[in-house]
Amino acid sequence: MVTPLNIILVGASGDLAQRKVLPALFSLFAQKLLPAEVRIFGFARTPLTDAEFRRRTAEHLMCRYTPEAHECATMTEQFLARCHYVTGEYGKAESFLDVAERIQQVTGRWDGDRLFYLATPPSVFLDVARAIGNSGLVTCDDTESWTRIVIEKPFGHDRASSDELVAEFGKVFTNEQTYRIDHYLGKEVIQNLLVLRFANRIFEPIWNRDFIRQVRIVWKETLDIGNRAGYFDGFGIIRDVMQNHLMQMLALTAMERPDSLAATPIRDEKVQVLHAVRPVELEDLVLGQYVAPVGDSAGRKSYRQETGVAPDSRTPTYASAVLRVNNSRWKGVPFIVECGKALDEQLAEICIQFHDVPHNIFGDALAANELVIRIQPDEAIFLRVVNKAPGLKMRLETTELNLRYRTAFTGVIPEAYESLLLDVVAGERSLFIRADELAASWDIFDRVLHEIDDRKIIPEPYLQGSRGPNQKTGTGK
Ligand code: BG6
């Protein structure tokens, strides 16, 4: 008999659940990648009937894999019929017993695999975990059927609070049952990093300080914080993006080759390289906060004018830093990381800049080679090389050897959450953040974050839609 899979989506009426998790589950369902006996139990405080929950959910579903209208309608209907809703309190074991009772009513069974997905504000993570534990729904022995829990950053706001969260979670769920998401690891181009580096003979010999001058990791959004002040103002851009998404990109770019693709060797190598990163100091950092142009015709606001932000808030919305990886591969190579909101463009990319040619016989200044790995908005990998421009004279021009995902590959590019959820269901852990990896990436920023708070550092203002504060991070010491 097939073991049923019951997905309990906690915080199901919220933005993350509605915009990301449910559409991703639908895509997997539409491709028949979920077990036949799957059910989704939305759980949140907002009172909703099953019908209301299904109506809300339907608004965000897209048939990316089944575009034909009739097939799309059938799939949508079948998926929604598997969605149910239970109203409850996050911190109450009784509410989770209500969920269990509902599962029993719907499926006719108490057992089955249980996947809890916490799409709630971080402030209630622990209450929810403890309530689930107290309800007795966590299996001790996962051989017959399993229990897994998925949580998503922010994992604490510094090293100490993160450690505490890990320890308290550990009282309810084992390490093997806990899946910590950094959704950047689910992105297609990020998943390609290991393949690009280690499945091609040409990169490994030049992937080091002898050939590489610097590495830039850039993450920019044009959007301001919108209605997320409640969360963002307490965290700021370093905790929101740099400590997690950017450190994952850095780890995959700088790590040594794992012995295999299994979760343990991959995560061991990531931890190792994160440990080699020298903790950031204040002079390595530039902090910024966006301001609106005076009398802005587009009605944009300064960060401090956003609803829910204190008028004297010191929270940075932009940060750049020069990081140093202290090992023999990278000694002396600056890793410049930059991230910000309300900037001039939408972009996430890793740019590997190579050294100049040692002896230039061409007279003209030569641009150094660059390998650009673009995660978004348009997935691409390109290499900037110098060529002779066609013509009767010797004229040099830098052009790109260009791989654009949309034209090079056929097929739909999966969303990060599709890939991650599929792995959770399969019990495949390499794309999830292990506790020691989390601690290692907090260690890079912990001291400087406290110093910024203690010394009440005021970020530099920068204009909405600009490239960030004037003072850009140099290449450091
Ligand atoms: C989230 C951050 O983790 O990632 C947000 O909290 C950010 O501030 C978002 O906007 C970006 O994700 P993506 O997938 O749209 O690049």
Side-chain angles (χ1 to χ4, degrees):
M1 197 151 112
V2 187
T3 312
L5 168 62
N6 297 308
I7 301 177
I8 299 116
L9 180 54
V10 186
S13 54
D15 214 42
L16 172 64
Q18 291 285 324
R19 283 193 315 112
K20 299 286 185 187
V21 184
L22 286 159
L25 287 171
F26 173 61
S27 289
L28 296 178
F29 177 83
Q31 294 174 88
K32 303 197 170 32
L33 294 172
L34 293 177
E37 284 308 311
V38 63
R39 299 258 167 198
I40 294 154
F41 294 85
F43 174 94
R45 287 175 302 196
T46 313
L48 291 179
T49 61
D50 279 3
E52 284 164 337
F53 177 57
R54 288 172 184 163
R55 214 172 302 128
R56 279 193 189 201
T57 302
E59 283 172 25
H60 302 273
L61 303 185
M62 272 174 41
C63 288
R64 298 193 315 126
Y65 297 89
T66 43
E68 288 83 24
H70 69 281
E71 218 185 325
C72 174
T74 315
M75 276 298 164
T76 308
E77 207 177 297
Q78 287 177 359
F79 178 76
L80 292 173
R82 293 184 166 270
C83 293
H84 310 269
Y85 189 85
V86 178
T87 311
E89 291 297 322
Y90 290 142
K92 278 200 179 156
E94 299 77 42
S95 293
F96 286 94
L97 288 173
D98 291 345
V99 176
E101 202 171 301
R102 194 65 196 288
I103 293 176
Q104 210 277 336
Q105 278 168 9
V106 171
T107 64
R109 297 170 61 164
W110 287 104
D111 63 345
D113 297 329
R114 293 187 193 119
L115 194 168
F116 292 94
Y117 195 115
L118 265 54
T120 63
S123 53
V124 300
F125 279 172
L126 267 184
D127 292 344
V128 175
R130 288 180 184 133
I132 296 171
N134 292 336
S135 67
L137 292 180
V138 183
T139 41
C140 299
D141 173 3
D142 284 350
T143 39
E144 289 290 305
S145 51
W146 49 253
T147 306
R148 291 182 189 143
I149 185 152
V150 180
I151 48 168
E152 189 160 350
K153 58 151 272 268
F155 307 116
H157 54 88
D158 60 5
R159 169 73 201 264
S161 52
S162 167
D163 283 356
E164 192 188 334
L165 189 65
V166 169
E168 290 300 313
F169 248 81
K171 293 181 182 164
V172 184
F173 301 95
T174 64
N175 274 332
E176 288 66 37
Q177 290 173 325
T178 308
Y179 288 71
R180 295 183 199 87
I181 284 193
D182 179 317
H183 79 280
Y184 266 61
L185 291 181
K187 291 191 188 262
E188 194 57 50
V189 180
I190 302 267
Q191 290 194 54
N192 191 15
L193 272 170
L194 286 190
V195 181
L196 185 73
R197 286 191 56 196
F198 301 120
N200 294 291
R201 179 72 177 84
I202 59 167
F203 292 118
E204 184 58 9
I206 58 169
W207 211 261
N208 56 52
R209 61 195 300 267
D210 296 335
F211 288 83
I212 295 176
R213 183 162 58 95
Q214 66 173 22
V215 178
R216 295 187 72 89
I217 301 181
V218 178
W219 184 95
K220 304 207 260 182
E221 266 188 359
T222 49
L223 293 175
D224 54 26
I225 58 149
N227 57 8
R228 295 177 76 223
Y231 151 77
F232 192 89
D233 203 41
F235 283 83
I237 199 76
I238 297 180
R239 293 178 172 97
D240 186 41
V241 173
M242 197 179 265
Q243 178 269 343
N244 33 72
H245 304 328
L246 265 54
M247 286 312 100
Q248 287 299 322
M249 291 190 220
L250 181 146
L252 291 166
T253 306
M255 70 194 257
E256 297 300 313
R257 184 172 54 79
D259 285 342
S260 78
L261 284 184
T264 303
I266 291 184
R267 298 196 290 185
D268 284 352
E269 292 302 342
K270 279 163 69 187
V271 172
Q272 179 118 340
V273 78
L274 289 170
H275 278 312
V277 179
R278 188 182 71 182
V280 174
E281 293 177 21
L282 210 46
E283 65 256 33
D284 302 327
L285 262 182
V286 174
L287 300 176
Q289 190 186 69
Y290 63 81
V291 293
V294 181
D296 185 37
S297 54
R300 290 173 298 183
K301 290 182 186 162
S302 292
Y303 179 72
R304 290 178 174 187
Q305 296 166 333
E306 300 279 10
T307 315
V309 172
D312 57 352
S313 170
R314 286 179 276 106
T315 302
T317 57
Y318 169 97
S320 63
V322 184
L323 301 185
R324 299 286 174 174
V325 182
N326 283 332
N327 61 21
S328 54
R329 187 190 281 264
W330 296 115
K331 189 89 191 158
V333 180
F335 280 72
I336 300 169
V337 292
E338 179 184 19
C339 53
K341 302 243 172 207
L343 291 174
D344 58 331
E345 57 178 336
Q346 192 81 17
L347 185 71
E349 70 180 24
I350 302 166
C351 177
I352 317 280
Q353 297 180 340
F354 293 89
H355 286 298
D356 291 331
V357 291
H359 178 58
N360 180 358
I361 57 168
F362 296 97
D364 298 357
L366 295 179
N369 297 126
E370 283 182 351
L371 176 69
V372 179
I373 300 161
R374 183 168 296 160
I375 294 114
Q376 50 198 37
D378 49 335
E379 295 87 346
I381 297 173
F382 48 94
L383 180 64
R384 294 203 170 105
V385 289
V386 181
N387 289 285
K388 175 183 174 300
L392 298 177
K393 288 195 177 146
M394 173 63 87
R395 194 172 57 80
L396 304 187
E397 209 174 277
T398 302
T399 41
E400 289 165 358
L401 302 180
N402 199 342
L403 183 154
R404 290 192 182 277
Y405 272 48
R406 310 269 159 186
T407 45
F409 301 113
T410 52
V412 180
I413 299 179
E415 288 287 328
Y417 283 86
E418 295 168 11
S419 173
L420 294 169
L421 280 161
L422 188 61
D423 278 5
V424 178
V425 173
E428 164 53 60
R429 272 187 284 274
S430 57
L431 295 183
F432 299 87
I433 311 294
R434 211 167 60 184
D436 55 348
E437 195 178 341
L438 179 59
S441 54
W442 272 121
D443 281 346
I444 301 171
F445 297 99
D446 196 58
R447 201 172 57 209
V448 83
L449 283 168
H450 285 288
E451 201 177 337
I452 292 168
D453 291 343
D454 296 346
R455 289 176 53 182
K456 300 190 170 31
I457 304 288
I458 297 173
E460 309 256 330
Y462 63 93
L463 279 181
Q464 272 248 16
S466 72
R467 296 175 62 193
N470 292 332
Q471 181 200 346
K472 287 277 186 179
T473 321
T475 49
K477 289 167 285 185

